[in-house]
Amino acid sequence: MQDSFDLTTLIFLALAVFVIWRLRSVLGQKTGTERSPFKPVDRNRNPASPARAEGDNVVRLPGADRPQPQPDSAPAAIAEARDWRGIAEPGSAVAHGLEAVVQVEPNFDPRAFVEGAKGAYEAIVIAFAKGDRKTLRSLLSKEVCEGFEREITARESRQETVETTFVSLDKAEIVAVDVRNRVAQVTVRFLSHLITATRSPDGKVIDGNAEAVAEVPDVWTFARTLGSRDPNWQLVATEAGA
């Protein structure tokens, strides 16, 4: 009976050793270099359109997910990234400002930035006309948003409504770039054509023209802390353009 028990015990021990060996050979051992099984999703990013997501109104820093160049191709990549033709004149203040941005974030693409700024411009103008505070809060700095919301509240108290239709956005050009303490401010001059009218509670047009296209120049400044995880730029200043 004792021999039978010992033999059974030995058989189970041998099976246990075999199972443990098989598990280690299949699963391996942790080395500390494994990739995390979870990758956070950027809720503001549309993989098909990194500059501006459909239904999303952000100015996104382009190139955030672009792979870094290998050392042997680095000089060519930098030369391409710093080709400012069509964006800034060589040696100009804007060109120097863009260089300062690229020094901190080599993947910054000013052309893609302009496209994103155009999308944000249209989104902000439409959101302001509709009184869409939620959209504005995601796009504007606290100070600018408070100013927009005060105007919306005053308009609502008078029971006025605004109708705005984009006809075209004809121009968007970077006119100034400033980097201080890793905070970049990029100023863009826009030229758009809109149909816009403000109506009184009884439906009468009291400002603008519901049937005429108006040319609207604007100068807006967007800001972002370079090197931060947040890829979005916020509107920090507005003024009427000449």
Side-chain angles (χ1 to χ4, degrees):
M1 182 68 178
Q2 183 66 32
D3 292 341
S4 176
F5 174 79
D6 291 341
L7 181 60
T8 302
T9 303
L10 288 174
I11 291 173
F12 276 109
L13 284 173
L15 286 173
V17 170
F18 177 75
V19 169
I20 293 172
W21 177 79
R22 287 295 296 168
L23 285 174
R24 288 174 63 86
S25 65
V26 173
L27 300 179
Q29 293 178 314
K30 288 189 176 181
T31 65
T33 61
E34 293 84 358
R35 292 184 179 182
S36 169
F38 172 73
K39 181 179 180 181
V41 177
D42 183 353
R43 291 173 292 180
N44 293 325
R45 181 174 181 269
N46 183 343
S49 178
R52 181 190 177 205
E54 185 67 27
D56 184 19
N57 305 311
V58 298
V59 182
R60 178 174 172 77
L61 178 66
D65 302 317
R66 189 181 305 164
Q68 294 295 325
Q70 297 300 316
D72 59 347
S73 63
I78 292 174
E80 180 181 354
R82 297 185 180 182
D83 178 9
W84 310 131
R85 286 178 297 180
I87 297 293
E89 291 296 325
S92 66
V94 171
H96 287 304
L98 294 174
E99 290 285 352
V101 174
V102 171
Q103 287 294 325
V104 182
E105 291 192 346
N107 289 326
F108 177 76
D109 182 348
R111 294 171 182 80
F113 172 87
V114 170
E115 290 304 310
K118 288 163 65 175
Y121 175 81
E122 181 175 347
I124 291 170
V125 170
I126 295 300
F128 177 69
K130 292 181 177 180
D132 183 355
R133 293 175 174 82
K134 181 179 179 180
T135 295
L136 293 175
R137 287 168 187 158
S138 69
L139 297 169
L140 314 179
S141 68
K142 181 180 178 181
E143 293 77 10
V144 174
C145 190
E146 287 174 351
F148 276 48
E149 289 187 337
R150 281 195 298 269
E151 180 60 30
I152 291 172
T153 299
R155 190 174 69 206
E156 291 174 343
S157 68
R158 298 189 298 266
Q159 297 184 322
E160 297 172 355
T161 57
V162 176
E163 300 171 353
T164 298
T165 301
F166 255 89
V167 177
S168 63
L169 181 49
D170 303 306
K171 182 180 293 186
E173 59 179 347
I174 296 175
V175 295
V177 181
D178 182 62
V179 179
R180 297 182 185 181
N181 299 323
R182 299 179 69 88
V183 175
Q185 291 192 351
V186 182
T187 302
V188 183
R189 179 185 290 121
F190 298 97
L191 181 63
S192 62
H193 284 85
L194 312 174
I195 299 175
T196 183
T198 301
R199 295 184 182 273
S200 62
D202 60 3
K204 293 181 180 179
V205 175
I206 57 176
D207 189 29
N209 192 322
E211 298 179 355
V213 177
E215 183 177 272
V216 181
D218 279 304
V219 178
W220 288 9
T221 299
F222 299 92
R224 176 177 172 268
T225 300
L226 300 177
S228 67
R229 292 180 178 274
D230 186 355
N232 302 326
W233 295 71
Q234 287 188 321
L235 178 64
V236 297
T238 66
E239 61 179 297

